[in-house]
Amino acid sequence: MKALPKSKILRFTEKAIHLARQAVSRYSSKFSKHRYTLPQHVVLLCLKVRKNTTYRGLLDELIEMPRIRRVLGLAELPTASTLCKAFNRLDMAVWRIILTLSTTLLPTSGVVGVDASGFDRTHASKHYTKRAELTIQQLKVTLLVDAKVNAILNLHVTTTRKHDSQIAPPLIKRNPEDIDILLGDKGYDDQKIRRLARQHEVRPLIKHREFTSLHKAWNTRLDADLYGQRSQSETVNSTLKRKYGAFVRSRRW
């Protein structure tokens, strides 16, 4: 009998477990029960996000996914509370490492756009929160996106009102080898960003705020076709919100 071809979700799981084993140790502590490994937890959490489901919904589907369980090496499934606690224990640094490793699988171009967008911390309607006089703090998420493959190279998340010009430098410092050309709108118009980019051999293609005729002239001389690729960053932000929602369910940050 001919073997069944690999599904997209199976190929995703194989790549995810490979990256997770590079990013994290086998167990979180030598005192852990060694029942499930950290890479297993990481991939299960990735599957939950990919399928846009709940912890219980994911575990219910995995009962009927023997090939996925085999790839993960799961003889039995964890409980929903186990996965929830695993998510709360994992640091942002772990997810950043996995994100960085995943980009090595893609043919990135070096033309990178930076753009920010806001995400609500709950899915309560704006009408209700306004009527009830509730204040819901937003997350400001800044993405570094490759313009060719729309891959997220890195990100910065904050609950403060930090200006774009303060967020861009750490992103440049973390990914200098992935950036040849940096595309940004007028929110990133800062000479410190331009100097930092050039120090890392990155060409900054950032529009100037037009206070004088000289600024207008500089903007006119920008490569319009190249700068136009900055819209891919906005496309990625829009896609994330349409696919997963414009809010985050987690109440912790």
Side-chain angles (χ1 to χ4, degrees):
M1 186 176 177
K2 202 171 184 179
L4 291 172
K6 291 183 179 181
S7 63
K8 288 183 179 180
I9 195 71
L10 180 58
R11 293 197 298 271
F12 171 83
T13 304
E14 288 175 339
K15 290 179 180 178
I17 192 67
H18 175 70
L19 294 176
R21 285 168 179 161
Q22 295 179 58
V24 296
S25 58
R26 186 169 176 80
Y27 299 105
S28 58
S29 168
K30 64 179 181 180
F31 301 108
S32 70
K33 295 180 180 179
H34 292 194
R35 194 172 181 181
Y36 305 105
T37 66
L38 270 181
Q40 287 173 338
H41 282 158
V42 167
V43 177
L44 288 173
L45 292 169
C46 289
L47 285 170
K48 173 186 173 292
V49 174
R50 180 182 172 88
K51 297 184 72 63
N52 198 18
T53 186
T54 62
Y55 291 113
R56 288 186 176 86
L58 173 66
L59 295 173
D60 187 62
E61 291 184 43
L62 284 172
I63 294 172
E64 304 300 332
M65 293 181 174
R67 291 206 293 177
I68 299 292
R69 298 200 308 271
R70 195 178 306 119
V71 168
L72 295 178
L74 286 171
E76 58 179 322
L77 294 175
T79 63
S81 61
T82 299
L83 286 182
C84 185
K85 290 175 183 176
F87 175 73
N88 290 332
R89 283 197 302 266
L90 288 169
D91 293 331
M92 180 67 173
V94 172
W95 300 112
R96 200 185 300 281
I97 291 170
I98 293 173
L99 179 63
T100 302
L101 289 172
S102 67
T103 59
T104 62
L105 304 175
L106 300 170
T108 54
S109 64
V111 180
V112 175
V114 59
D115 192 50
S117 187
F119 287 80
D120 286 329
R121 298 187 74 179
T122 180
H123 54 281
S125 72
K126 292 187 180 296
H127 172 72
Y128 168 75
T129 55
K130 184 177 180 180
R131 180 166 55 84
E133 297 182 353
L134 298 177
T135 301
I136 296 179
Q137 199 172 24
Q138 282 192 328
L139 296 179
K140 181 178 180 179
V141 181
T142 304
L143 301 180
L144 205 61
V145 176
D146 185 87
K148 179 183 178 182
V149 292
N150 285 0
I152 300 173
L153 304 178
N154 216 314
L155 76 162
H156 180 281
V157 184
T158 181
T159 58
T160 65
R161 299 177 66 86
K162 189 178 288 187
H163 193 268
D164 291 339
S165 60
Q166 296 175 292
I167 293 173
L171 290 174
I172 296 171
K173 290 176 182 177
R174 284 200 293 260
N175 294 78
E177 67 283 352
D178 298 318
I179 311 172
D180 294 325
I181 300 173
L182 180 67
L183 311 175
D185 60 21
K186 295 177 182 178
Y188 300 94
D189 177 22
D190 191 307
Q191 290 306 317
K192 291 180 181 178
I193 294 177
R194 291 187 173 90
R195 281 196 297 270
L196 178 66
R198 293 187 181 105
Q199 286 172 10
H200 288 88
E201 299 181 352
V202 174
R203 176 188 172 191
L205 207 62
I206 301 170
K207 274 203 170 183
H208 294 265
R209 288 171 290 175
E210 297 180 350
F211 297 120
T212 67
S213 57
L214 184 59
H215 294 143
K216 292 180 181 179
W218 284 339
N219 286 341
T220 303
R221 294 178 61 189
L222 283 178
D223 186 327
D225 292 335
L226 193 56
Y227 182 77
Q229 296 183 44
R230 190 192 65 81
S231 63
Q232 295 304 313
S233 302
E234 297 173 354
T235 299
V236 171
N237 270 319
S238 175
T239 301
L240 285 174
K241 290 185 176 182
R242 281 187 282 109
K243 188 171 183 179
Y244 299 109
F247 58 87
V248 290
R249 293 184 179 90
S250 177
R251 301 301 176 91
R252 294 188 179 187
W253 189 258

